[in-house]
Amino acid sequence: TPHWVYAIFAVLLIAAGGFGYGFFYQLNENSKLKDVEWLYRYERLWWEDKQQEDLLRREKIFAVGTQHEQDLIKNRTRQLEKSRNIEETFLYFNPTEK
């Protein structure tokens, strides 16, 4: 058997392993996102009137706003967390920027 056949087999085996790992990694990430979605949906039920309007405005900015608008909200969130000394109290998740 030619050596190139072994090389192709090894490449295909490594590729299959990589795709398998990537598939299960993405499946796990998707499950975490679904949990966060339900937490968010539950939390947004508690806002009413003006607070709810503000929440919906911020949701719209993240859905269709410019990158600059989104960055402003992210920066303000970090500032508020730091000023209230809650930036180190994440118990069940780790922020993506850490």
Side-chain angles (χ1 to χ4, degrees):
T1 306
H3 291 296
W4 61 268
V5 172
Y6 292 120
I8 290 175
F9 177 76
V11 168
L12 290 176
L13 185 65
I14 291 170
F19 283 121
Y21 173 78
F23 172 79
F24 286 109
Y25 178 80
Q26 283 301 115
L27 185 64
N28 187 32
E29 287 293 309
N30 196 23
S31 297
K32 289 179 185 176
L33 288 174
K34 286 180 183 178
D35 292 342
V36 171
E37 173 194 353
W38 280 105
L39 174 64
Y40 178 75
R41 288 173 65 180
Y42 176 77
E43 289 298 321
R44 72 194 297 262
L45 293 173
W46 301 102
W47 299 96
E48 293 180 359
D49 302 325
K50 176 74 170 113
Q51 292 174 333
Q52 189 175 39
E53 291 174 20
D54 290 341
L55 175 67
L56 295 175
R57 182 181 49 80
R58 288 189 299 270
E59 285 180 354
K60 182 178 179 183
I61 288 172
F62 269 96
V64 295
T66 65
Q67 186 66 44
H68 177 68
E69 291 172 322
Q70 293 172 3
D71 288 343
L72 287 175
I73 290 178
K74 290 176 186 178
N75 290 335
R76 183 68 178 139
T77 300
R78 288 184 198 104
Q79 290 171 355
L80 289 172
E81 287 174 345
K82 188 171 180 112
S83 70
R84 296 176 184 171
N85 296 319
I86 60 172
E87 77 273 15
E88 298 298 326
T89 61
F90 300 110
L91 300 177
Y92 302 104
F93 73 97
N94 289 318
T96 56
E97 71 267 2
K98 278 193 168 189

